[in-house]
Amino acid sequence: MARPPLNAEWKTTACILCECNCGVEVQLGGDDGRRLVRFRGDKAHPASQGYACEKAHRLDHYQNEQARLTTPLRRRADGGLEPIDWQTAIAEVAERLAAVRDAHGGSTIVYYGGGGQGNHLPGTYATATRRALGMRYRSNALAQEKTGEFWVSHRMLGGYTRGDFERCEVGLFIGKNPWFSHGIPRARVTLKALAADPARALIVVDPRRTKTAALADIHLQVKPGTDAWLLAALVAVILEDDLVDHAFVEAHTAGLDAVRDVLGAVDVAAYSAICGVPEDQIRAAAQRIGEARSVASFEDLGVQMNRHSTLVSYLHRLLWLTTGNFGKPGCQFMPTALAPLATGGHKYDTPVTGQRIIGGLVPCNAISDEILNDHPARFRAMIVEAANPAHSLADSPRMREALRALDCLVVIDVALTETARLADYVLPASTQFEKAEATFFNFEFPHNVFHLRPRLLEAPEGPLPEAEIHCRLVEALGALDAGLVAELRSAAEAGLATYTQAFLARVAMNPAQMPYAAALLYRSLGPTLPADRREGAVLLGLALRAAMARPEPLARAGFAGDPLTAARTLFEAMLERSSGVVFAVDVWDDQLARIAGGRIQLALPDLLAEAETLSAGPAPRDAAFPFTLSAGERRAFTANTIIRDPRWRRKDAEGALRINPADAAALGVAPGGRVRLTTARGSAVVPVEISETMQPGHISLPNGTGLHDDDDGPLGGIAPNELTTNGDRDPFVGTPWHKSVPARLALA
Ligand SMILES: Nc1nc2c(c(=O)[nH]1)N[C@H]1C(S)=C(S)[C@@H](COP(=O)(O)OP(=O)(O)OC[C@H]3O[C@@H](n4cnc5c(=O)[nH]c(N)nc54)[C@H](O)[C@@H]3O)O[C@H]1N2
Ligand SMILES: Nc1nc2c(c(=O)[nH]1)N[C@H]1C(S)=C(S)[C@@H](COP(=O)(O)OP(=O)(O)OC[C@H]3O[C@@H](n4cnc5c(=O)[nH]c(N)nc54)[C@H](O)[C@@H]3O)O[C@H]1N2
Ligand code: SF4
Ligand SMILES: [Mo]
């Protein structure tokens, strides 16, 4: 095949397939000049510095190889979806949602999503729509993975922490496989450096011999679902062998005695037998952690979507806090946020089933419960944006039933997803390369990076950027003051300094318009910005907030002066530096001052009480389901459901079930053979990949697979949540236990 014509120019953007959002440069080509043909890591990106993994090279599959939504769609009386024009779509969506609000209250309309791995600007503009409809409840994927960690972090430290893996002596990964899932900048470079240096150590807690585990100095090959026992034993050894950092604990923490009362009593040998990690290995790992100058640590889905998830988040923090690994180089830190993704506070519960809401996010596993009932306060309408809950949330059959039961479901997406197919209205969005985009996954330290990616391609006729969609909705709802927009629009013509001042003064005098700040910015400032960065308008508001909340880190990054000046110069830098900008420079000395109340709370009574129940051992297994299924593992070519066409995967197109050789032999299945996999929820026939990396009794399926192009059948593998149940969840925050689904196998 002839090579597509190339445009020699390298254009700056970022990869959208995981939270790292590595800066990449692209050469466009193809007959229409719209193909993303050649990629290289962007050396000018301050965080990724030229790094990119194999997935970035496949981004053309997102932009050009999948069916796009090109026009708004409406559900017909006969059940089908029909194209409608934008004017009708906006008017009807506004009218339908306003009717739900007026009849039952805005709190019966729930918002889900707001962004995926590469696009967080939609969520900022959606705030205006949510306010205009008086909506109170929202959720997104964080409420099925991170809310336990957020809650614990909030109560212990008052903020969310990350680890400094670049500088640490010991790097610890618990239920995390960064070789494939990344999650830290330049993951493979950092992992290799850790593993290669004899003075440093990589410790990995994973039942599977992952690529990360294979590099490790210590691989704690825990039995699936038993991390709570392993972590309790590690903390017990820290206490027993006096590996505690007494100076740190005395100066900065409270509650060690209460912790000692519970965890000092742990029978390490018994817990070692339960979690399957030899006692001498547990002791060696605790020793290595306790004696290290610095430890950086990362827990992820292997434990956050698993039994005792919130307890594990707590024990994990005790491990690095009792050993003093916070607030110094190579340890944990609280980065300066431009826009915090979520806090960990618990202020209210869900309206019908009374489940804890952490950081304002309704637990994902509570959503179908909150819809499928007769309670007057039930969720009756939903806006889903840049998310695919019919595929990504537990128990897809029940989730579909719930979405169908809504009075009105509105989906904003680029593709006709499993969720969009159930919608009353589908609003087509421009792709992430057809508008300016950015994320708030900004966790670098001490130099924290924000990247507003300019639009790479002109948007085709039809789809609109979410900023435009939300502004039109807010206007149709009659919420935006047109006079104020016009006034601010003329201020914008006079330049950014005049505009910033006018914006603050006028919005302060119009508190009723404050909730629509994002829409005001887009409508008044947006038109004066370069066309390829217009959706960045909302960032001026965020820069103002950051300049008021955290002036010192911004000043250290060069954005100094009064908040107006600092915000304006930061905003200008975001617009100008198309490879990203260091917006905050932190110092380690500030870190201890960020702890809420001045002291780290080591003792959380409810979680200590939960820890005490560990001594009774794990709950007995149901003999009907002898296997433990990890439903949704990150592999070389998975990226949630961001790319729908399975051909984007260079290998493993069908998403094989990984199984240990002994289990495969016992079943009589040969390499490439198929088995029937059954759980309490469902059953499917899957191809197997026999793999030494699996423990006997542990099986795993990839995530993001089994999408539907029409109603005929799944593409490329099976959808993991056809096999998960809604009730298998953490008792504290409702996060699902997808990593240990009881299952059985039979020859297909
Ligand atoms: N390639 C790729 N990268 C991604 C994504 C993607 O879809 N594809 N998605 C992104 C997203 S949204 C997220 S949240 C992150 C998630 O990133 P990770 O959490 O690293 O991803 P997983 O592979 O789901 O789970 C990590 C590990 O948990 C292990 N595990 C299973 N059961 C247990 C257990 O009982 N105990 C312990 N300790 N470990 C266990 C699995 O063997 C696996 O190696 O990845 C991001 N990066
Ligand atoms: N069983 C099981 N379930 C899981 C997991 C698991 O490990 N196991 N992992 C969970 C995790 S950690 C996560 S993060 C979730 C992810 O699941 P979701 O949060 O539901 O999101 P994605 O699959 O990333 O889907 C992103 C959606 O955004 C759309 N999109 C892409 N670009 C744009 C755009 O520019 N604008 C708009 N409006 N839409 C766009 C895509 O078409 C897609 O529909 O899945 C979760 N579900
Ligand atoms: S998938 Fe993640 S690590 Fe790989 S290039 Fe994209 S953003 Fe970077
Ligand atoms: Mo995630």
Side-chain angles (χ1 to χ4, degrees):
M1 214 173 69
R3 238 219 176 102
L6 277 185
N7 182 334
E9 188 193 353
W10 287 96
K11 303 192 95 180
T12 313
T13 185
C15 174
I16 60 166
L17 297 177
C18 87
E19 67 161 76
C20 292
N21 304 137
C22 299
V24 293
E25 292 182 292
V26 186
Q27 277 181 331
L28 298 174
D31 294 338
D32 55 2
R34 293 178 68 85
R35 309 290 298 208
L36 280 54
V37 177
R38 206 182 277 160
F39 291 86
R40 65 181 187 202
D42 181 1
K43 294 202 175 75
H45 190 284
S48 59
Q49 299 168 31
Y51 180 92
C53 79
E54 63 278 358
K55 292 190 289 300
H57 297 272
R58 312 290 282 177
L59 281 168
D60 194 51
H61 286 262
Y62 164 79
Q63 176 61 36
N64 290 310
E65 292 284 335
Q66 55 190 8
R68 287 284 299 279
L69 288 169
T70 53
T71 173
L73 302 171
R74 171 176 64 192
R75 173 92 36 215
R76 278 193 314 249
D78 70 4
L81 285 168
E82 64 184 356
I84 49 172
D85 62 59
W86 269 108
Q87 218 179 343
T88 312
I90 294 290
E92 290 190 9
V93 166
E95 192 184 324
R96 290 274 299 267
L97 294 176
V100 176
R101 173 196 61 192
D102 297 342
H104 307 288
S107 62
T108 64
I109 312 174
V110 61
Y111 177 81
Y112 189 87
Q117 300 295 300
N119 54 325
H120 292 170
L121 295 185
T124 63
Y125 289 104
T127 311
T129 304
R130 285 165 46 217
R131 298 285 188 272
L133 286 164
M135 292 164 66
R136 173 173 165 84
Y137 297 103
R138 70 182 175 106
S139 187
N140 61 39
L142 292 170
Q144 39 96 74
E145 44 174 324
K146 299 280 174 283
T147 35
E149 183 183 18
F150 288 168
W151 188 48
V152 165
S153 248
H154 176 81
R155 294 167 71 198
M156 297 178 88
L157 293 124
Y160 181 58
T161 61
R162 299 284 280 211
D164 178 13
F165 286 92
E166 236 173 291
R167 278 160 285 256
C168 66
E169 180 184 327
V170 170
L172 173 62
F173 291 98
I174 307 178
K176 169 93 196 152
N177 181 16
W179 187 272
F180 284 121
S181 69
H182 287 83
I184 55 171
R186 311 167 75 239
R188 291 173 188 171
V189 177
T190 303
L191 289 173
K192 280 197 250 174
L194 249 174
D197 186 342
R200 304 172 74 198
L202 173 62
I203 305 181
V204 174
V205 181
D206 199 307
R208 224 160 39 91
R209 186 129 183 106
T210 60
K211 183 100 179 171
T212 310
L215 280 174
D217 299 274
I218 304 180
H219 176 195
L220 303 171
Q221 201 163 6
V222 65
K223 280 189 204 155
T226 64
D227 296 80
W229 285 271
L230 172 62
L231 282 157
L234 284 167
V235 176
V237 177
I238 299 282
L239 298 173
E240 198 179 291
D241 293 358
D242 201 16
L243 296 160
V244 172
D245 181 339
H246 291 287
F248 178 86
V249 165
E250 269 150 45
H252 307 298
T253 76
L256 184 65
D257 289 345
V259 171
R260 198 184 289 281
D261 285 347
V262 174
L263 294 168
V266 157
D267 179 344
V268 176
Y271 281 29
S272 139
I274 292 170
C275 71
V277 179
E279 184 177 345
D280 56 351
Q281 210 192 8
I282 295 179
R283 292 189 180 279
Q287 191 90 23
R288 190 70 187 86
I289 289 167
E291 288 174 353
R293 193 176 12 86
S294 59
V295 178
S297 191
F298 199 135
E299 61 169 72
D300 214 343
L301 301 186
V303 287
Q304 294 185 335
M305 285 188 172
N306 217 326
R307 285 157 211 279
H308 296 291
S309 48
T310 301
L311 174 59
V312 168
S313 292
Y314 172 57
L315 295 171
H316 172 205
R317 266 149 202 79
L318 286 179
L319 190 60
W320 50 258
L321 285 169
T322 52
T323 48
N325 288 295
F326 172 79
K328 56 182 192 185
C331 298
Q332 294 9 270
F333 55 82
M334 286 188 216
T336 295
L338 185 66
L341 285 177
T343 63
H346 165 228
K347 296 202 186 92
Y348 53 109
D349 299 332
T350 61
V352 176
T353 60
Q355 300 184 55
R356 239 186 218 112
I357 291 180
I358 303 299
L361 300 174
V362 171
C364 292
N365 284 47
I367 292 174
S368 57
D369 299 344
E370 294 288 322
I371 299 172
L372 293 171
N373 63 76
D374 292 330
H375 196 285
R378 69 180 180 273
F379 293 159
R380 295 166 193 263
M382 194 162 172
I383 303 175
V384 174
E385 180 163 52
N388 191 3
H391 181 276
S392 61
L393 299 199
D395 195 342
S396 301
R398 184 169 157 85
M399 201 58 214
R400 286 192 291 268
E401 184 193 343
L403 294 172
R404 281 196 197 97
L406 292 166
D407 294 353
C408 185
L409 172 62
V410 178
V411 172
I412 306 171
D413 205 295
V414 298
L416 192 62
T417 64
E418 289 62 30
T419 309
R421 225 164 275 134
L422 303 169
D424 298 290
Y425 292 91
V426 184
L427 305 179
S430 328
T431 71
Q432 296 177 48
F433 299 116
E434 295 166 353
K435 64 196 171 212
E437 260 300 359
T439 71
F440 304 116
F441 289 135
N442 317 126
F443 303 124
E444 285 83 31
F445 195 94
H447 295 88
N448 206 355
V449 177
F450 181 82
H451 185 194
L452 175 69
R453 295 124 46 190
R455 179 177 85 187
L456 195 62
L457 300 165
E458 296 270 342
E461 269 307 295
L464 292 175
E466 292 84 351
E468 183 63 37
I469 297 175
H470 287 294
C471 280
R472 291 189 188 185
L473 283 172
V474 172
E475 284 157 352
L477 288 160
L480 211 59
D481 178 340
L484 179 56
V485 172
E487 215 179 300
L488 290 173
R489 183 79 178 72
S490 15
E493 297 297 342
L496 197 56
T498 309
Y499 179 84
T500 312
Q501 228 156 19
F503 179 78
L504 265 194
R506 297 298 290 124
V507 176
M509 277 167 58
N510 274 280
Q513 286 290 297
M514 195 95 87
Y516 315 118
L520 287 172
L521 284 161
Y522 184 69
R523 275 289 181 257
S524 57
L525 178 62
T528 67
L529 300 179
D532 61 355
R533 283 143 228 237
R534 197 157 279 165
E535 294 76 20
V538 69
L539 298 171
L540 180 63
L542 299 180
L544 273 166
R545 205 166 58 186
M548 290 179 211
R550 293 259 184 245
E552 295 89 1
L554 265 58
R556 278 185 224 110
F559 310 110
D562 62 276
L564 283 186
T565 310
R568 181 175 49 77
T569 50
L570 172 55
F571 181 66
E572 282 165 345
M574 288 167 164
L575 292 175
E576 273 158 26
R577 299 187 208 162
S578 59
S579 290
V581 52
V582 172
F583 72 94
V585 177
D586 277 306
V587 290
W588 288 101
D589 289 348
D590 273 359
Q591 286 290 309
L592 289 159
R594 288 192 184 178
I595 296 165
R599 266 187 194 267
I600 298 166
Q601 300 302 316
L602 296 179
L604 301 184
D606 45 358
L607 290 164
L608 283 173
E610 175 82 354
E612 279 188 297
T613 68
L614 292 176
S615 59
R621 292 193 69 106
D622 180 347
F625 297 113
F627 283 92
T628 299
L629 167 68
S630 284
E633 171 178 290
R634 274 69 190 159
R635 296 184 181 171
F637 290 99
T638 66
N640 295 343
T641 66
I642 304 164
I643 303 182
R644 297 181 57 81
D645 176 358
R647 282 171 302 180
W648 88 277
R649 292 181 229 147
R650 277 237 178 83
K651 47 189 172 195
D652 195 27
E654 266 202 280
L657 178 83
R658 287 184 171 151
I659 181 171
N660 176 273
D663 289 332
L667 269 166
V669 62
R674 285 174 188 266
V675 292
R676 174 159 291 280
L677 166 63
T678 304
T679 68
R681 174 69 259 192
S683 184
V685 172
V686 289
V688 301
E689 178 194 327
I690 299 170
S691 169
E692 297 279 357
T693 64
M694 302 302 295
Q695 284 189 32
H698 187 206
I699 50 181
S700 82
L701 279 177
N703 75 311
T705 44
L707 303 170
H708 292 71
D709 250 359
D710 49 42
D711 291 327
D712 286 348
L715 288 174
I718 67 151
N721 289 311
E722 300 293 334
L723 299 172
T724 60
T725 60
N726 203 36
D728 245 354
R729 58 174 116 160
D730 181 81
F732 296 96
V733 300
T735 40
W737 290 340
H738 291 326
K739 298 295 179 193
S740 55
V741 179
R744 69 168 168 268
L745 295 176
L747 266 190

